[in-house]
C-alpha cells in the first residue's frame, strides 16, 4: 500500500471513530417524572443514579442513569406479556436513537406513535409503550410484575402539543415538556429528555451498556 493510500485509510478510520464518539455523547433518553425530580435532575450535579443499561461497551465511558421509582424511562415492548422475562436493548428506550434510527430528539421518536395525527399519543397508540419503574435504581429490571407499567393503563395520553423547551440547569441541560403527561385521575406529569453522554472517570459509577 502506498504511503498516501495508508494515510487516507487512517484518516477515514479516525473520522469514523470520532463520529461514533459524538453519537455516543449525544444519545438521549426520555423520562416521565414529577416537577420536583425534573428540577433536581437539571439542577443537582450528584442527583443521578449510576447503572448498567443501554448504551456502549465496557471499553466506553461511564454514564449517568436517572431511573428510579419516580423518574421512569419509556420503553417500547411490542407483544409484551406481563410477567415474562425481558432483556432490554438500548434501541427499546425512547430517545433520539430509538429503534436504531437517528431522530431529531426523543419527542420526534414519540410522535411516531401518534398515528391519527391529533397531537396526543393516547388509547391504542400507547399499547406497546411501558414505563420502567427501576425500584432499586441500578438500571436492572426488578423481578416483579409491577416494574413495567403499561402507559395505556396508567395515563390518559401524552400531549405532544406541549412545546418541549431546552432548559440549561445548574448541573446539566435537558429538553422539558412540562405537564404533558395526562394522568387518568386528572393530574399531569413532566417529560424530560436528558443526554446519557455525561461521563465520569470512576469505575464506582457504571456505564450504559
Amino acid at each position: 500500500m502506498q504511503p498516501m493510500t495508508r494515510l487516507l485509510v487512517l484518516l477515514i478510520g479516525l473520522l469514523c471513530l470520532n463520529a461514533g464518539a459524538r453519537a455516543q455523547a449525544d444519545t438521549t433518553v426520555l423520562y416521565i417524572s414529577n416537577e420536583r425530580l425534573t428540577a433536581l435532575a437539571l439542577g443537582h450535579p450528584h442527583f443521578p443514579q449510576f447503572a448498567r443499561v443501554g448504551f456502549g461497551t465496557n471499553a466506553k465511558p461511564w454514564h449517568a442513569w436517572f431511573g428510579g421509582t419516580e423518574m421512569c424511562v419509556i420503553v417500547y415492548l411490542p407483544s409484551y406479556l406481563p410477567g415474562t422475562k425481558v432483556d432490554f436493548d438500548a434501541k427499546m428506550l425512547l430517545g433520539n436513537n430509538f429503534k436504531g434510527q437517528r431522530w431529531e430528539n426523543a419527542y420526534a421518536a414519540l410522535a411516531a406513535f401518534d398515528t391519527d395525527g391529533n397531537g396526543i399519543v393516547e388509547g391504542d397508540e400507547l399499547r406497546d409503550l411501558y414505563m420502567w419503574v427501576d425500584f432499586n435504581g441500578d438500571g436492572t429490571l426488578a423481578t416483579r410484575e409491577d416494574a413495567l407499567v403499561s402507559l395505556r393503563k396508567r395515563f390518559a395520553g401524552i400531549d405532544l402539543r406541549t412545546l418541549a423547551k431546552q432548559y440549561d440547569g445548574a448541573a446539566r441541560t435537558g429538553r422539558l415538556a412540562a405537564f404533558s403527561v395526562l394522568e387518568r385521575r386528572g393530574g399531569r406529569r413532566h417529560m424530560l429528555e436528558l443526554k446519557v453522554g455525561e461521563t465520569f472517570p470512576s469505575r464506582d459509577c457504571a456505564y450504559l451498556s
Side-chain angles (χ1 to χ4, degrees), residues 42-149:
L42 291 168
H44 198 289
H46 303 298
F47 170 74
Q49 305 292 330
F50 301 101
R52 286 178 173 273
V53 322
F55 311 87
T57 67
N58 288 333
K60 291 189 178 179
W62 304 82
H63 297 280
W65 172 245
F66 297 85
T69 56
E70 296 182 84
M71 193 159 179
C72 305
V73 174
I74 302 175
V75 186
Y76 174 64
L77 294 173
S79 305
Y80 168 68
L81 296 175
T84 57
K85 179 177 172 56
V86 176
D87 292 319
F88 277 157
D89 181 276
K91 297 173 185 176
M92 299 160 63
L93 306 183
L94 260 290
N96 64 357
N97 282 330
F98 176 58
K99 286 187 174 180
Q101 177 180 339
R102 189 66 175 175
W103 303 82
E104 180 180 356
N105 53 56
Y107 298 99
L110 181 61
F113 291 90
D114 181 23
T115 55
D116 62 6
N118 71 344
I120 303 175
V121 182
E122 59 187 344
D124 282 345
E125 295 170 339
L126 292 168
R127 68 180 178 274
D128 293 328
L129 296 177
Y130 291 79
M131 186 171 64
W132 171 15
V133 183
D134 188 1
F135 287 100
N136 50 17
D138 69 350
T140 61
L141 185 61
T143 55
R144 43 191 290 181
E145 291 190 8
D146 55 349
L148 291 168
V149 179

Side-chain angles (χ1 to χ4, degrees), residues 107 162-165 175-181 189-192:
Y107 298 99
T162 302
L163 183 63
K165 298 180 180 179
R175 189 178 294 271
L176 178 69
F179 305 110
S180 56
V181 183
R189 293 196 188 189
H190 291 350
M191 282 194 301
L192 178 63

Side-chain angles (χ1 to χ4, degrees), residues 180-200:
S180 56
V181 183
L182 314 176
E183 303 221 43
R184 291 196 174 276
R185 297 182 179 179
R188 289 182 176 235
R189 293 196 188 189
H190 291 350
M191 282 194 301
L192 178 63
E193 179 183 18
L194 290 172
K195 288 183 180 181
V196 296
E198 181 179 2
T199 61
F200 299 84

